[in-house]
Amino acid sequence: MAREKKAKNPKALLKKMTELYDDVSSEGKEIFKEWEPKIEREAFVDSAENLSYYLALRRRDIRGLQSELSPWGLSSLGRLEPKTLSNLEAVIATLGELADESSPMARPSYESFVEGQERLLQNSEDLFGKKPKKRSTRIMVTMPTEAAKDKQLVKDLIAKGMNVARINCAHDNPKIWTKMIENIRHAAGQKKKDVKILMDIAGPKIRIDWIFTTRKKPKVKPGDRFRLTRNYTDLPPNDEVKVTVGCSIPQIFQALKKGDPVSIDDGAVEGKVVSVTDEEAVVEVKHVNGSSIRIKAENGLNFPDTEFDIELLTEKDREDLAFACEHADIIGCSFIRDEEDIVQIQQEIHSILGDKAAGMALMAKIETVQAVENLPRILLTASAKNPFSVMIARGDLAVETGYIRLAELQQEILWICEAADIPVVWGTEVLDNMINTGIPTRAEVTDAAEGGRAECVMLNKGAYVVEAVDMLHQIFEKMQEHQYKKMPKLRALSIAKMEEE
């Protein structure tokens, strides 16, 4: 009954909405006032202003207001990312008519509703190439080493629907990358396709450098302990710790504390620190993927609750960045934590390209808790100077935040980026089983469809990657008729037509 009384009073709703609008407008203006002097790209000014209003709104819990608006057939405010103030103004104008009162504001124009979406579509085209005919979501593929020699593979990927070719600078070398790029450009020209090249700078990815063990194989299971050390000269046998893994970054051992979680290979091994010194830590394994698992050199290491400062760019990264500035359409930036990291990348690119640096498109991989917490300022700092996009690097992000929180955070990243008209790449293990075995799981097909809410979806390399590109292309074609971002598209359903018969 209480809900019915609320819903029957448009005058009270009008008052609530007007107060909300005034608060959001006032706070948003203050946020934008701080931001505006820092924005050098005119194309980002309107986007930054809308983001400021969106952030001001999302500081509030408006779920009760949403439930009161819905029975009146009004917007429940669930689609206001690209048009925050216009959405509020439209609801207020309609409530004024329902309450038979003069509205405190004019109804916004149609153009004000679509301009945010149009900016996002244009930004997506600028970064990821022209929109394919039957889908709006682009497909990115990580290039295997074979792409340097296998021209037919590259042609097949483009023919099946690849729009962006990703070169991971953590692997191969400039000679191989050059051949890859030549093959991609040539095949794209033959097919008359607009294929962009992303070069992903490795950054300070923390990995296992080496392994020492007294066992036949360096396998661990729950209850086992392994040593993490930067000392490779003093490896005494130890009945309790039979596997030792090396990592040469001293800041890790200075920051680790007893009880801190440690993860290997995107969560395949999870453990907790039981003891630590300036040179090593002993970790007890809590969970593994299976009954036991083999630890390998080059496996990634994650420390979800540990903060430590390490250089964003290694000397190799700087060399790779110089190569990318000459050959790539987009430069991917790994391990971004805050706006200061973005500034460092921008300064490095400016030292290479000079005045042309502003034209280089950047992509930040969001893979840490720090990056999520600092996302608005990362978006502002990057987009203020460069065309910009974001990749949700779900592998590392899941390890850093936990799988349960990942489901929430990937949606929040999509919403905030949409409010800023910034394209998003949905990454990590999309159609992974399909790529490696040729057969998709039901869950990963659903995940791929969900990824269609981003502007681009990334596939990794694998034996069946061409078939996976083809499948992803078809999934996006079907889903485009039903959904854009958070908005369902009410195409006539064949199921409903069957009821007529």
Side-chain angles (χ1 to χ4, degrees), residues 204 310-314 317-318 321 333 335-352 362 381 385:
I310 56 177
E311 283 294 319
L312 180 67
L313 296 173
T314 65
D317 290 333
R318 289 185 168 86
L321 192 57
C333 312
F335 206 72
I336 297 298
R337 295 158 294 190
D338 53 33
E339 64 269 32
E340 293 179 7
D341 288 340
I342 292 292
V343 170
Q344 184 177 342
I345 293 285
Q346 289 172 326
Q347 290 174 342
E348 189 72 24
I349 291 174
H350 188 270
S351 71
I352 298 167
L362 303 180
T381 304
K385 289 188 176 183

PDB file of all heavy atoms in Angstrom, residues 204 310-314 317-318 321 333 335-352 362 381 385:
ATOM      1  N   PRO A 204      55.110  -3.339 -16.202  1.00  0.00           N
ATOM      2  CA  PRO A 204      55.777  -4.086 -15.127  1.00  0.00           C
ATOM      3  C   PRO A 204      54.977  -5.309 -14.683  1.00  0.00           C
ATOM      4  O   PRO A 204      54.641  -5.452 -13.516  1.00  0.00           O
ATOM      5  CB  PRO A 204      55.854  -3.042 -14.002  1.00  0.00           C
ATOM      6  CG  PRO A 204      54.633  -2.213 -14.205  1.00  0.00           C
ATOM      7  CD  PRO A 204      54.407  -2.154 -15.688  1.00  0.00           C
ATOM      8  N   ILE A 310      56.575   0.356  -8.259  1.00  0.00           N
ATOM      9  CA  ILE A 310      57.582  -0.109  -9.214  1.00  0.00           C
ATOM     10  C   ILE A 310      57.480   0.758 -10.453  1.00  0.00           C
ATOM     11  O   ILE A 310      56.430   1.354 -10.742  1.00  0.00           O
ATOM     12  CB  ILE A 310      57.401  -1.598  -9.573  1.00  0.00           C
ATOM     13  CG1 ILE A 310      55.984  -1.872 -10.110  1.00  0.00           C
ATOM     14  CG2 ILE A 310      57.695  -2.481  -8.395  1.00  0.00           C
ATOM     15  CD1 ILE A 310      55.787  -3.297 -10.546  1.00  0.00           C
ATOM     16  N   GLU A 311      58.552   0.856 -11.185  1.00  0.00           N
ATOM     17  CA  GLU A 311      58.579   1.696 -12.375  1.00  0.00           C
ATOM     18  C   GLU A 311      57.540   1.223 -13.398  1.00  0.00           C
ATOM     19  O   GLU A 311      57.433   0.022 -13.661  1.00  0.00           O
ATOM     20  CB  GLU A 311      59.967   1.659 -13.009  1.00  0.00           C
ATOM     21  CG  GLU A 311      60.997   2.504 -12.287  1.00  0.00           C
ATOM     22  CD  GLU A 311      60.691   3.986 -12.352  1.00  0.00           C
ATOM     23  OE1 GLU A 311      60.267   4.461 -13.430  1.00  0.00           O
ATOM     24  OE2 GLU A 311      60.853   4.669 -11.328  1.00  0.00           O
ATOM     25  N   LEU A 312      56.793   2.173 -13.944  1.00  0.00           N
ATOM     26  CA  LEU A 312      55.762   1.830 -14.921  1.00  0.00           C
ATOM     27  C   LEU A 312      56.377   1.316 -16.225  1.00  0.00           C
ATOM     28  O   LEU A 312      55.856   0.386 -16.847  1.00  0.00           O
ATOM     29  CB  LEU A 312      54.890   3.051 -15.207  1.00  0.00           C
ATOM     30  CG  LEU A 312      53.760   2.849 -16.224  1.00  0.00           C
ATOM     31  CD1 LEU A 312      52.717   1.899 -15.667  1.00  0.00           C
ATOM     32  CD2 LEU A 312      53.117   4.174 -16.590  1.00  0.00           C
ATOM     33  N   LEU A 313      57.499   1.910 -16.642  1.00  0.00           N
ATOM     34  CA  LEU A 313      58.131   1.553 -17.915  1.00  0.00           C
ATOM     35  C   LEU A 313      59.544   1.043 -17.679  1.00  0.00           C
ATOM     36  O   LEU A 313      60.368   1.732 -17.063  1.00  0.00           O
ATOM     37  CB  LEU A 313      58.176   2.765 -18.852  1.00  0.00           C
ATOM     38  CG  LEU A 313      56.835   3.328 -19.321  1.00  0.00           C
ATOM     39  CD1 LEU A 313      57.051   4.622 -20.097  1.00  0.00           C
ATOM     40  CD2 LEU A 313      56.089   2.319 -20.183  1.00  0.00           C
ATOM     41  N   THR A 314      59.827  -0.153 -18.187  1.00  0.00           N
ATOM     42  CA  THR A 314      61.190  -0.662 -18.176  1.00  0.00           C
ATOM     43  C   THR A 314      61.924  -0.094 -19.382  1.00  0.00           C
ATOM     44  O   THR A 314      61.326   0.552 -20.258  1.00  0.00           O
ATOM     45  CB  THR A 314      61.186  -2.194 -18.254  1.00  0.00           C
ATOM     46  OG1 THR A 314      60.649  -2.587 -19.539  1.00  0.00           O
ATOM     47  CG2 THR A 314      60.336  -2.801 -17.145  1.00  0.00           C
ATOM     48  N   ASP A 317      60.392  -1.511 -22.368  1.00  0.00           N
ATOM     49  CA  ASP A 317      59.112  -0.859 -22.669  1.00  0.00           C
ATOM     50  C   ASP A 317      59.321   0.433 -23.453  1.00  0.00           C
ATOM     51  O   ASP A 317      58.567   0.738 -24.387  1.00  0.00           O
ATOM     52  CB  ASP A 317      58.351  -0.543 -21.381  1.00  0.00           C
ATOM     53  CG  ASP A 317      57.819  -1.790 -20.696  1.00  0.00           C
ATOM     54  OD1 ASP A 317      57.566  -2.787 -21.392  1.00  0.00           O
ATOM     55  OD2 ASP A 317      57.663  -1.762 -19.460  1.00  0.00           O
ATOM     56  N   ARG A 318      60.327   1.189 -23.080  1.00  0.00           N
ATOM     57  CA  ARG A 318      60.601   2.456 -23.780  1.00  0.00           C
ATOM     58  C   ARG A 318      61.011   2.202 -25.228  1.00  0.00           C
ATOM     59  O   ARG A 318      60.615   2.936 -26.141  1.00  0.00           O
ATOM     60  CB  ARG A 318      61.674   3.260 -23.039  1.00  0.00           C
ATOM     61  CG  ARG A 318      61.174   3.850 -21.725  1.00  0.00           C
ATOM     62  CD  ARG A 318      62.236   4.741 -21.065  1.00  0.00           C
ATOM     63  NE  ARG A 318      61.639   5.507 -19.976  1.00  0.00           N
ATOM     64  CZ  ARG A 318      61.505   5.068 -18.740  1.00  0.00           C
ATOM     65  NH1 ARG A 318      61.959   3.854 -18.420  1.00  0.00           N
ATOM     66  NH2 ARG A 318      60.937   5.823 -17.810  1.00  0.00           N
ATOM     67  N   LEU A 321      57.894   1.192 -27.005  1.00  0.00           N
ATOM     68  CA  LEU A 321      57.014   2.346 -27.190  1.00  0.00           C
ATOM     69  C   LEU A 321      57.456   3.178 -28.390  1.00  0.00           C
ATOM     70  O   LEU A 321      56.626   3.667 -29.165  1.00  0.00           O
ATOM     71  CB  LEU A 321      57.020   3.197 -25.913  1.00  0.00           C
ATOM     72  CG  LEU A 321      55.963   4.285 -25.779  1.00  0.00           C
ATOM     73  CD1 LEU A 321      54.561   3.712 -25.908  1.00  0.00           C
ATOM     74  CD2 LEU A 321      56.103   4.993 -24.437  1.00  0.00           C
ATOM     75  N   CYS A 333      48.456   0.523 -22.799  1.00  0.00           N
ATOM     76  CA  CYS A 333      49.262   0.816 -21.612  1.00  0.00           C
ATOM     77  C   CYS A 333      48.859  -0.139 -20.487  1.00  0.00           C
ATOM     78  O   CYS A 333      47.706  -0.110 -20.032  1.00  0.00           O
ATOM     79  CB  CYS A 333      49.042   2.261 -21.162  1.00  0.00           C
ATOM     80  SG  CYS A 333      49.169   3.473 -22.504  1.00  0.00           S
ATOM     81  N   PHE A 335      49.127  -2.027 -16.634  1.00  0.00           N
ATOM     82  CA  PHE A 335      49.391  -1.779 -15.220  1.00  0.00           C
ATOM     83  C   PHE A 335      49.189  -0.310 -14.833  1.00  0.00           C
ATOM     84  O   PHE A 335      49.870   0.234 -13.982  1.00  0.00           O
ATOM     85  CB  PHE A 335      50.813  -2.235 -14.855  1.00  0.00           C
ATOM     86  CG  PHE A 335      50.968  -2.613 -13.407  1.00  0.00           C
ATOM     87  CD1 PHE A 335      50.397  -3.776 -12.927  1.00  0.00           C
ATOM     88  CD2 PHE A 335      51.670  -1.801 -12.530  1.00  0.00           C
ATOM     89  CE1 PHE A 335      50.537  -4.123 -11.590  1.00  0.00           C
ATOM     90  CE2 PHE A 335      51.816  -2.137 -11.196  1.00  0.00           C
ATOM     91  CZ  PHE A 335      51.241  -3.309 -10.719  1.00  0.00           C
ATOM     92  N   ILE A 336      48.220   0.344 -15.476  1.00  0.00           N
ATOM     93  CA  ILE A 336      47.899   1.730 -15.114  1.00  0.00           C
ATOM     94  C   ILE A 336      47.218   1.730 -13.744  1.00  0.00           C
ATOM     95  O   ILE A 336      46.257   1.000 -13.518  1.00  0.00           O
ATOM     96  CB  ILE A 336      46.979   2.367 -16.171  1.00  0.00           C
ATOM     97  CG1 ILE A 336      47.687   2.453 -17.525  1.00  0.00           C
ATOM     98  CG2 ILE A 336      46.500   3.736 -15.718  1.00  0.00           C
ATOM     99  CD1 ILE A 336      48.921   3.307 -17.530  1.00  0.00           C
ATOM    100  N   ARG A 337      47.716   2.581 -12.842  1.00  0.00           N
ATOM    101  CA  ARG A 337      47.151   2.639 -11.491  1.00  0.00           C
ATOM    102  C   ARG A 337      46.444   3.955 -11.196  1.00  0.00           C
ATOM    103  O   ARG A 337      45.457   3.982 -10.475  1.00  0.00           O
ATOM    104  CB  ARG A 337      48.268   2.417 -10.460  1.00  0.00           C
ATOM    105  CG  ARG A 337      48.890   1.031 -10.525  1.00  0.00           C
ATOM    106  CD  ARG A 337      50.276   1.005  -9.926  1.00  0.00           C
ATOM    107  NE  ARG A 337      51.211   1.811 -10.723  1.00  0.00           N
ATOM    108  CZ  ARG A 337      52.527   1.832 -10.551  1.00  0.00           C
ATOM    109  NH1 ARG A 337      53.069   1.102  -9.602  1.00  0.00           N
ATOM    110  NH2 ARG A 337      53.304   2.588 -11.308  1.00  0.00           N
ATOM    111  N   ASP A 338      46.954   5.048 -11.770  1.00  0.00           N
ATOM    112  CA  ASP A 338      46.345   6.350 -11.504  1.00  0.00           C
ATOM    113  C   ASP A 338      46.701   7.308 -12.629  1.00  0.00           C
ATOM    114  O   ASP A 338      47.354   6.934 -13.607  1.00  0.00           O
ATOM    115  CB  ASP A 338      46.800   6.905 -10.151  1.00  0.00           C
ATOM    116  CG  ASP A 338      48.313   6.934 -10.008  1.00  0.00           C
ATOM    117  OD1 ASP A 338      49.012   7.148 -11.025  1.00  0.00           O
ATOM    118  OD2 ASP A 338      48.819   6.741  -8.889  1.00  0.00           O
ATOM    119  N   GLU A 339      46.265   8.567 -12.478  1.00  0.00           N
ATOM    120  CA  GLU A 339      46.487   9.553 -13.540  1.00  0.00           C
ATOM    121  C   GLU A 339      47.963   9.872 -13.732  1.00  0.00           C
ATOM    122  O   GLU A 339      48.384  10.260 -14.830  1.00  0.00           O
ATOM    123  CB  GLU A 339      45.695  10.834 -13.270  1.00  0.00           C
ATOM    124  CG  GLU A 339      46.099  11.601 -12.018  1.00  0.00           C
ATOM    125  CD  GLU A 339      45.310  11.201 -10.786  1.00  0.00           C
ATOM    126  OE1 GLU A 339      44.908  10.023 -10.682  1.00  0.00           O
ATOM    127  OE2 GLU A 339      45.094  12.064  -9.916  1.00  0.00           O
ATOM    128  N   GLU A 340      48.774   9.701 -12.692  1.00  0.00           N
ATOM    129  CA  GLU A 340      50.203   9.967 -12.828  1.00  0.00           C
ATOM    130  C   GLU A 340      50.856   8.996 -13.805  1.00  0.00           C
ATOM    131  O   GLU A 340      51.792   9.365 -14.528  1.00  0.00           O
ATOM    132  CB  GLU A 340      50.882   9.895 -11.462  1.00  0.00           C
ATOM    133  CG  GLU A 340      50.459  11.013 -10.516  1.00  0.00           C
ATOM    134  CD  GLU A 340      51.116  10.908  -9.158  1.00  0.00           C
ATOM    135  OE1 GLU A 340      52.004  10.032  -9.004  1.00  0.00           O
ATOM    136  OE2 GLU A 340      50.753  11.687  -8.264  1.00  0.00           O
ATOM    137  N   ASP A 341      50.380   7.762 -13.824  1.00  0.00           N
ATOM    138  CA  ASP A 341      50.895   6.791 -14.798  1.00  0.00           C
ATOM    139  C   ASP A 341      50.559   7.227 -16.223  1.00  0.00           C
ATOM    140  O   ASP A 341      51.371   7.075 -17.145  1.00  0.00           O
ATOM    141  CB  ASP A 341      50.306   5.404 -14.525  1.00  0.00           C
ATOM    142  CG  ASP A 341      50.887   4.759 -13.273  1.00  0.00           C
ATOM    143  OD1 ASP A 341      51.967   5.179 -12.843  1.00  0.00           O
ATOM    144  OD2 ASP A 341      50.242   3.854 -12.727  1.00  0.00           O
ATOM    145  N   ILE A 342      49.340   7.747 -16.414  1.00  0.00           N
ATOM    146  CA  ILE A 342      48.945   8.243 -17.740  1.00  0.00           C
ATOM    147  C   ILE A 342      49.846   9.404 -18.160  1.00  0.00           C
ATOM    148  O   ILE A 342      50.309   9.468 -19.306  1.00  0.00           O
ATOM    149  CB  ILE A 342      47.470   8.694 -17.727  1.00  0.00           C
ATOM    150  CG1 ILE A 342      46.538   7.484 -17.537  1.00  0.00           C
ATOM    151  CG2 ILE A 342      47.128   9.450 -19.015  1.00  0.00           C
ATOM    152  CD1 ILE A 342      46.502   6.532 -18.704  1.00  0.00           C
ATOM    153  N   VAL A 343      50.114  10.312 -17.244  1.00  0.00           N
ATOM    154  CA  VAL A 343      50.983  11.457 -17.543  1.00  0.00           C
ATOM    155  C   VAL A 343      52.364  10.979 -17.971  1.00  0.00           C
ATOM    156  O   VAL A 343      52.951  11.510 -18.927  1.00  0.00           O
ATOM    157  CB  VAL A 343      51.083  12.393 -16.317  1.00  0.00           C
ATOM    158  CG1 VAL A 343      52.184  13.448 -16.531  1.00  0.00           C
ATOM    159  CG2 VAL A 343      49.754  13.076 -16.056  1.00  0.00           C
ATOM    160  N   GLN A 344      52.892   9.953 -17.297  1.00  0.00           N
ATOM    161  CA  GLN A 344      54.213   9.435 -17.654  1.00  0.00           C
ATOM    162  C   GLN A 344      54.214   8.878 -19.078  1.00  0.00           C
ATOM    163  O   GLN A 344      55.150   9.122 -19.851  1.00  0.00           O
ATOM    164  CB  GLN A 344      54.642   8.350 -16.672  1.00  0.00           C
ATOM    165  CG  GLN A 344      56.058   7.841 -16.929  1.00  0.00           C
ATOM    166  CD  GLN A 344      56.508   6.811 -15.908  1.00  0.00           C
ATOM    167  OE1 GLN A 344      55.938   6.695 -14.828  1.00  0.00           O
ATOM    168  NE2 GLN A 344      57.536   6.041 -16.247  1.00  0.00           N
ATOM    169  N   ILE A 345      53.171   8.143 -19.428  1.00  0.00           N
ATOM    170  CA  ILE A 345      53.065   7.610 -20.796  1.00  0.00           C
ATOM    171  C   ILE A 345      52.980   8.753 -21.799  1.00  0.00           C
ATOM    172  O   ILE A 345      53.660   8.740 -22.844  1.00  0.00           O
ATOM    173  CB  ILE A 345      51.812   6.712 -20.920  1.00  0.00           C
ATOM    174  CG1 ILE A 345      51.956   5.438 -20.078  1.00  0.00           C
ATOM    175  CG2 ILE A 345      51.547   6.364 -22.379  1.00  0.00           C
ATOM    176  CD1 ILE A 345      52.877   4.401 -20.642  1.00  0.00           C
ATOM    177  N   GLN A 346      52.154   9.745 -21.514  1.00  0.00           N
ATOM    178  CA  GLN A 346      52.005  10.879 -22.428  1.00  0.00           C
ATOM    179  C   GLN A 346      53.310  11.632 -22.608  1.00  0.00           C
ATOM    180  O   GLN A 346      53.653  12.044 -23.729  1.00  0.00           O
ATOM    181  CB  GLN A 346      50.905  11.813 -21.911  1.00  0.00           C
ATOM    182  CG  GLN A 346      49.502  11.236 -22.047  1.00  0.00           C
ATOM    183  CD  GLN A 346      48.440  12.076 -21.357  1.00  0.00           C
ATOM    184  OE1 GLN A 346      48.698  12.690 -20.323  1.00  0.00           O
ATOM    185  NE2 GLN A 346      47.246  12.103 -21.918  1.00  0.00           N
ATOM    186  N   GLN A 347      54.051  11.805 -21.534  1.00  0.00           N
ATOM    187  CA  GLN A 347      55.342  12.505 -21.634  1.00  0.00           C
ATOM    188  C   GLN A 347      56.337  11.719 -22.476  1.00  0.00           C
ATOM    189  O   GLN A 347      57.087  12.291 -23.278  1.00  0.00           O
ATOM    190  CB  GLN A 347      55.901  12.760 -20.232  1.00  0.00           C
ATOM    191  CG  GLN A 347      55.126  13.803 -19.440  1.00  0.00           C
ATOM    192  CD  GLN A 347      55.594  13.934 -18.000  1.00  0.00           C
ATOM    193  OE1 GLN A 347      56.264  13.034 -17.463  1.00  0.00           O
ATOM    194  NE2 GLN A 347      55.255  15.034 -17.356  1.00  0.00           N
ATOM    195  N   GLU A 348      56.334  10.397 -22.292  1.00  0.00           N
ATOM    196  CA  GLU A 348      57.251   9.550 -23.062  1.00  0.00           C
ATOM    197  C   GLU A 348      56.906   9.613 -24.551  1.00  0.00           C
ATOM    198  O   GLU A 348      57.797   9.697 -25.408  1.00  0.00           O
ATOM    199  CB  GLU A 348      57.166   8.117 -22.551  1.00  0.00           C
ATOM    200  CG  GLU A 348      58.225   7.184 -23.116  1.00  0.00           C
ATOM    201  CD  GLU A 348      59.615   7.457 -22.572  1.00  0.00           C
ATOM    202  OE1 GLU A 348      59.735   8.019 -21.467  1.00  0.00           O
ATOM    203  OE2 GLU A 348      60.587   7.103 -23.276  1.00  0.00           O
ATOM    204  N   ILE A 349      55.612   9.559 -24.869  1.00  0.00           N
ATOM    205  CA  ILE A 349      55.194   9.628 -26.266  1.00  0.00           C
ATOM    206  C   ILE A 349      55.528  10.994 -26.857  1.00  0.00           C
ATOM    207  O   ILE A 349      55.971  11.104 -28.010  1.00  0.00           O
ATOM    208  CB  ILE A 349      53.690   9.327 -26.391  1.00  0.00           C
ATOM    209  CG1 ILE A 349      53.425   7.852 -26.057  1.00  0.00           C
ATOM    210  CG2 ILE A 349      53.172   9.646 -27.795  1.00  0.00           C
ATOM    211  CD1 ILE A 349      51.962   7.486 -26.003  1.00  0.00           C
ATOM    212  N   HIS A 350      55.358  12.051 -26.068  1.00  0.00           N
ATOM    213  CA  HIS A 350      55.681  13.398 -26.554  1.00  0.00           C
ATOM    214  C   HIS A 350      57.172  13.528 -26.845  1.00  0.00           C
ATOM    215  O   HIS A 350      57.584  14.198 -27.806  1.00  0.00           O
ATOM    216  CB  HIS A 350      55.250  14.450 -25.530  1.00  0.00           C
ATOM    217  CG  HIS A 350      55.379  15.858 -26.035  1.00  0.00           C
ATOM    218  ND1 HIS A 350      56.528  16.607 -25.872  1.00  0.00           N
ATOM    219  CD2 HIS A 350      54.508  16.644 -26.732  1.00  0.00           C
ATOM    220  CE1 HIS A 350      56.367  17.799 -26.429  1.00  0.00           C
ATOM    221  NE2 HIS A 350      55.150  17.850 -26.952  1.00  0.00           N
ATOM    222  N   SER A 351      58.006  12.861 -26.035  1.00  0.00           N
ATOM    223  CA  SER A 351      59.447  12.916 -26.279  1.00  0.00           C
ATOM    224  C   SER A 351      59.828  12.228 -27.591  1.00  0.00           C
ATOM    225  O   SER A 351      60.865  12.533 -28.181  1.00  0.00           O
ATOM    226  CB  SER A 351      60.210  12.278 -25.115  1.00  0.00           C
ATOM    227  OG  SER A 351      60.028  10.868 -25.105  1.00  0.00           O
ATOM    228  N   ILE A 352      58.955  11.327 -28.047  1.00  0.00           N
ATOM    229  CA  ILE A 352      59.209  10.598 -29.296  1.00  0.00           C
ATOM    230  C   ILE A 352      58.584  11.307 -30.492  1.00  0.00           C
ATOM    231  O   ILE A 352      59.217  11.483 -31.540  1.00  0.00           O
ATOM    232  CB  ILE A 352      58.654   9.159 -29.196  1.00  0.00           C
ATOM    233  CG1 ILE A 352      59.358   8.394 -28.074  1.00  0.00           C
ATOM    234  CG2 ILE A 352      58.825   8.423 -30.532  1.00  0.00           C
ATOM    235  CD1 ILE A 352      58.662   7.102 -27.698  1.00  0.00           C
ATOM    236  N   LEU A 362      45.450   6.130 -27.297  1.00  0.00           N
ATOM    237  CA  LEU A 362      45.918   5.338 -26.169  1.00  0.00           C
ATOM    238  C   LEU A 362      44.810   4.412 -25.677  1.00  0.00           C
ATOM    239  O   LEU A 362      43.631   4.708 -25.835  1.00  0.00           O
ATOM    240  CB  LEU A 362      46.354   6.241 -25.009  1.00  0.00           C
ATOM    241  CG  LEU A 362      47.426   7.289 -25.285  1.00  0.00           C
ATOM    242  CD1 LEU A 362      47.723   8.068 -24.009  1.00  0.00           C
ATOM    243  CD2 LEU A 362      48.691   6.652 -25.830  1.00  0.00           C
ATOM    244  N   THR A 381      42.457  12.489 -17.504  1.00  0.00           N
ATOM    245  CA  THR A 381      43.846  12.814 -17.833  1.00  0.00           C
ATOM    246  C   THR A 381      44.222  12.323 -19.225  1.00  0.00           C
ATOM    247  O   THR A 381      44.883  13.030 -19.991  1.00  0.00           O
ATOM    248  CB  THR A 381      44.797  12.202 -16.785  1.00  0.00           C
ATOM    249  OG1 THR A 381      44.413  12.670 -15.487  1.00  0.00           O
ATOM    250  CG2 THR A 381      46.239  12.588 -17.056  1.00  0.00           C
ATOM    251  N   LYS A 385      44.113  14.867 -23.531  1.00  0.00           N
ATOM    252  CA  LYS A 385      45.176  15.094 -24.521  1.00  0.00           C
ATOM    253  C   LYS A 385      45.124  14.161 -25.717  1.00  0.00           C
ATOM    254  O   LYS A 385      45.605  14.521 -26.803  1.00  0.00           O
ATOM    255  CB  LYS A 385      46.549  14.957 -23.850  1.00  0.00           C
ATOM    256  CG  LYS A 385      46.900  16.076 -22.900  1.00  0.00           C
ATOM    257  CD  LYS A 385      48.348  15.954 -22.437  1.00  0.00           C
ATOM    258  CE  LYS A 385      48.743  17.139 -21.560  1.00  0.00           C
ATOM    259  NZ  LYS A 385      50.165  17.075 -21.154  1.00  0.00           N
TER     260      LYS A 385
END
